[in-house]
Amino acid sequence: MSREKLRAQLAEAEAELKRHMASWDYAFAMGQSCNGGSEHPVHWATRARTEEMLGRCRDLRARLVEH
C-alpha cells in the first residue's frame, strides 16, 4: 500500500474518531454518573467502539512509520 493511501486512511480514521468523540454518546459513556448509570450496556458498546477506533488510528500510524 502506498504511503499516500495510508496517510489518507489515517486522516479519515482520525476524522471519524474526532466526530465520534464529539458525540453525545461518547460524552455520556465517558462521563461520571451516580447509581451506576455509566455502566449501561449502551455505554459499553460506545467504549468498545472508541477503543476500536483508537486501535485503528494506532495501527495506521505504525504502518506509516514502517513505510
Side-chain angles (χ1 to χ4, degrees), residues 1-7 64 67:
M1 185 175 298
S2 73
R3 190 166 178 82
E4 292 77 29
K5 189 166 183 167
L6 282 172
R7 281 189 187 132
L64 264 172
H67 230 62

Side-chain angles (χ1 to χ4, degrees), residues 14-52:
E14 288 176 333
E16 183 180 358
L17 177 61
K18 187 175 181 176
R19 285 189 303 273
H20 171 72
M21 293 177 95
S23 72
W24 282 109
D25 289 343
Y26 179 82
F28 284 116
M30 298 304 175
Q32 297 296 323
S33 169
C34 62
N35 301 323
S38 63
E39 293 306 315
H40 192 278
V42 170
H43 299 322
W44 298 339
T46 300
R47 288 188 199 108
R49 177 73 176 133
T50 303
E51 286 303 314
E52 177 185 310

